[in-house]
Amino acid sequence: MALPKVRQVRARVVRGAGADYHDQDRGHWIDDHIATPMSKYPEYRDSRRSFGLNVLGTLVVEVEADDGTVGFGVTTAGEPGAFIVERHLARFVEGAVPSDVERIWDQMFHASLFYGRKGLVLNAISAVDLALWDLLGKLRDEPVYALLGGQVRDELTFYATGARPDLAKDMGFIGGKMPLQHGPAEGERGLAAGVARLAEMRERVGDDFWLMYDAWMSLDLDYAVRLTHAAHEHGLKWIEEALPPDDYWGYAELRRAVPPGMLVTTGEHEATRWGFRMLLEMGCADILQPDVNWCGGITELIKISALADAHGALVVPHGSSVYSYHFVSTRHNSPFAEFLMMHPQASEVVPMFTPLLLDEPVPVGGRLRLPERPGFGVRLNPECRLERPYTHEETT
Ligand SMILES: C[C@H](O)[C@H](O)[C@@H](O)[C@@H](O)C(=O)O
Ligand SMILES: [Mg+2]
C-alpha cells in the first residue's frame, strides 16, 4: 500500500522543561552548583541557567501526511531551531514519502553543511527525523522499535541520573550518576569535596550499586586523572564527559590514565557518524552516549550504533525518553539505558519530558516494558501552549 506523502511541516516552540529539560525553576538539583566549562567565572558558577543553559527552549516538529496523520519529534532548539526547520529543512520533507528517511536526512545534512555539522542544526535535523519515524510508525501501525528490526530484550534496565543515588537504589535502579559539582576552578578543596560526596554515597548504597560522576565537559586532563585516582577506592564506575567534546586527544589520554577497570564515557554533545568515528578510532571512550534528539535522530543513530558495535563499544544513549528507549530495546550493544530524574529533589520518578508529553512511560523498579503503541507512543500535552514563530509558505 502506497504511503501518503508529507503535506506540511510545522515547527513549534514552548518554554519550561519539556525537551529542554534544563529549563527548570530555581532549586532544582539539575541547576545546583554543577561544574561546567563556565565555572572558571565565579559569577556563573552556581547556576547553569545563569550562563544560559536554558536559553533555547523546546522545539516540537510536526510532519503531517496527506491523510491527516501527524508524527512529531522534539529537541532542544527553540526559536532558532524553528527558523532552521521552517525556512530551510521543510523543503526536503514536504512532498516526500515519509519512509524516505535516508534521502531526507542526507539532503537536510548536506544542504546545511555550510553552517551546521553539529549542535543546533543537528538538533533540528534530529527533531525532523524523529517526527518522520513517529509518522511512519503511525502510518504502519507499528511501534518504532518494530520498524528498527524488533526488540532484543522485552524489558529495559535503567540507571538513574540525579542528586540522590541512594534514593535511586531504593527505587530499583542499577546505578546512580551524580553531577560533579566542583571543577579545577575550585582547587583541591573542590576535588576533595567531590571525593567525600562519593564516599558518603558509597557508604549509603553499599558495594554492589553503580556510582558514576558526570563532569559535563568541565575538567582538564590533569584534574580528571587526579580525580579518578582519588575516587577509585570508592568504586567510581565511570567518569562521564570529563573534557570538552572536541578534545579527542585528551579523552584518549584520560582513557589510558584512569585506574584499571574504571570506564571513560562521553558523546551526548557529539553528533553524526563522523563525530563518533573520531571518538572510536582515537580510543576516547568505553561507552558512547549519543543523544538521539541531538546527534542526528534515529536515522543517524543506527549508523553510529553499528560503527560502535564493530569496535566493541557500548552505546548507552544520553537520556531522551521514548526516543532513546525504542532504540535501546533493539540493540545488542545497548544493554541498559539512562533515566534522568526530573523531580526537583530527585526523590521520585516523573516523566523525563514532563509536562510536554502524554502517555510518556517511566521505569518502575528501575525497569520498563515499552507499551506496544504506534510510533514512539506518546502524545503532545494540549495544555502546553506551543507557538509557531515562523512559517515557510512565503519562502517557497
Ligand atoms: C546531569 C548532567 O549535568 C546533565 O544535566 C545531564 O543532562 C547529562 O549530562 C546526563 O548525562 O544526563
Ligand atoms: Mg552526561
Side-chain angles (χ1 to χ4, degrees), residues 24-41:
Q24 300 289 347
D25 296 332
R26 287 207 65 77
H28 195 292
W29 70 264
I30 210 164
D31 199 40
D32 177 19
H33 197 102
I34 291 174
T36 79
M38 288 290 284
S39 297
K40 69 182 90 164
Y41 304 104

Side-chain angles (χ1 to χ4, degrees), residues 21-22 29-30 48 161 177 214 216 240 268 318 338 340:
Y21 57 86
H22 287 113
W29 70 264
I30 210 164
R48 293 190 287 188
T161 296
K177 182 170 78 180
D214 188 324
W216 209 75
E240 179 168 325
E268 70 190 66
H318 170 246
E338 174 182 10
L340 254 155

Side-chain angles (χ1 to χ4, degrees), residues 13 20 56-59 75-82 120 123-124 294:
V13 300
D20 189 358
L56 292 174
T58 291
L59 169 66
T75 191
T76 308
E79 287 198 24
L120 179 66
N123 291 16
W294 302 341

Side-chain angles (χ1 to χ4, degrees), residues 29 160-171 173 175-179 197 200-201 204-205 209 211 341 344-347:
W29 70 264
T161 296
R164 297 295 303 273
D166 52 333
L167 300 183
K169 181 182 182 187
D170 297 341
M171 295 177 207
F173 289 98
K177 182 170 78 180
M178 295 183 284
R197 183 176 175 224
E200 188 213 344
M201 276 300 163
R204 291 189 197 183
V205 300
F209 183 74
L211 285 177
M341 299 291 281
Q345 281 73 47
S347 53

Side-chain angles (χ1 to χ4, degrees), residues 310-347:
H311 282 257
L314 296 185
V315 174
V316 180
H318 170 246
S320 37
S321 188
V322 289
Y323 301 101
S324 54
Y325 304 164
H326 275 254
F327 189 82
V328 165
S329 74
T330 67
R331 299 294 120 166
H332 294 289
N333 62 327
S334 300
F336 55 89
E338 174 182 10
F339 184 74
L340 254 155
M341 299 291 281
M342 295 319 296
H343 183 276
Q345 281 73 47
S347 53

